[in-house]
Amino acid sequence: MEAKTPRESLTTLTDLVLPGDTNYLDNLFGGELLARMDRACSIAARRHSSRIVVTASVNHVAFNKSVPVGSVVTLEAKVSRAFKSSMEIYVDVWIEDRQSGLRTKVNEGIYTFVAVDETGKPVQIPQIKPETELEKVRFDGALRRKQLSLVLAGKMKPDDATELKALFKS
Ligand SMILES: CC(=O)SCCNC(=O)CCNC(=O)[C@H](O)C(C)(C)COP(=O)(O)OP(=O)(O)OC[C@H]1O[C@@H](n2cnc3c(N)ncnc32)[C@H](O)[C@@H]1OP(=O)(O)O
């Protein structure tokens, strides 16, 4: 199976924040943003694997800046690393200034998707060849994030999380 680049899975979703998407402060509701992130990541995972994909875990979401009603929000999702059947997907969230068009990054999320067959059984996927500096940094950190996610889910013993443990060694 030939390796693919993150670029090949790039998924861009641009949409408005309407009043029905907001909280009491007229900012984008966190759950609405999570759903949009999940959709963008799911398409990126499908583009990478050409398979049915399911969300296995949401590893990290940072709501760094609020997103006011009326904003134009763009989500960019790309597979950062592929393992056997699972993929890590990074999603970056931007808003743009109405007059200048300048973009500000407001949030990011890291999701894990698994490629499955029609019966829901995990299947093998192509590996990832990072190209840009940022893609290389995200690729390099993906194994320890996978191990952390598995440890938190009770699917890996902390002692077996070698890459994660290496973080804490001086
Ligand atoms: C609440 C909701 O809305 S959920 C939304 C939709 N999602 C779903 O319905 C998914 C439901 N879950 C499932 O179908 C299964 O648990 C699956 C397919 C995700 C995993 O199935 P499992 O039987 O655990 O398979 P298995 O143990 O072989 O794991 C498959 C891969 O997922 C990875 N994985 C499983 N759980 C996690 C996790 N919590 N974090 C990171 N990776 C994980 C495994 O490490 C493995 O990766 P690899 O093949 O690349 O080495």
Side-chain angles (χ1 to χ4, degrees):
M1 217 177 274
E2 207 174 317
K4 294 168 87 171
T5 63
R7 194 162 31 98
E8 291 175 83
S9 65
L10 174 64
T11 301
T12 306
L13 295 185
T14 301
D15 204 355
L16 276 168
V17 177
L18 296 174
D21 305 324
T22 60
N23 61 19
Y24 292 110
L25 296 173
D26 289 336
N27 294 319
L28 180 60
F29 179 57
E32 170 63 25
L33 182 57
L34 287 173
R36 292 186 191 191
M37 287 173 153
D38 195 33
R39 273 198 287 277
C41 290
S42 143
I43 296 168
R46 179 174 132 155
R47 285 183 173 159
H48 177 75
S49 64
S50 309
R51 290 290 198 160
I52 299 168
V53 294
V54 294
T55 316
S57 77
V58 180
N59 301 345
H60 172 74
V61 178
F63 294 114
N64 292 323
K65 293 200 174 103
S66 52
V67 179
V69 66
S71 300
V72 171
V73 183
T74 298
L75 290 84
E76 286 174 356
K78 274 196 286 192
V79 174
S80 42
R81 185 151 175 181
F83 298 95
K84 218 166 113 212
S85 65
S86 66
M87 290 152 270
E88 180 188 82
I89 299 103
Y90 249 89
V91 56
D92 297 306
V93 184
W94 306 81
I95 55 174
E96 61 192 59
D97 183 81
R98 180 157 28 99
Q99 283 177 331
S100 66
L102 279 180
R103 299 199 323 164
T104 307
K105 185 166 163 187
V106 286
N107 292 306
E108 72 177 27
I110 310 173
Y111 283 62
T112 298
F113 275 74
V114 175
V116 296
D117 66 14
E118 281 69 13
T119 67
K121 190 168 149 269
V123 289
Q124 201 174 343
I125 54 173
Q127 295 303 291
I128 278 279
K129 262 188 318 196
E131 293 178 310
T132 68
E133 276 316 304
L134 180 60
E135 287 169 3
K136 285 176 189 162
V137 168
R138 290 177 170 183
F139 179 96
D140 287 343
L143 180 57
R144 67 168 177 267
R145 288 188 291 273
K146 177 179 168 71
Q147 291 185 344
L148 177 62
S149 178
L150 289 171
V151 168
L152 291 175
K155 295 181 173 180
M156 178 180 256
K157 291 193 196 118
D159 255 2
D160 295 336
T162 48
E163 186 80 11
L164 183 59
K165 284 199 300 186
L167 247 193
F168 301 98
K169 285 191 185 138
S170 53

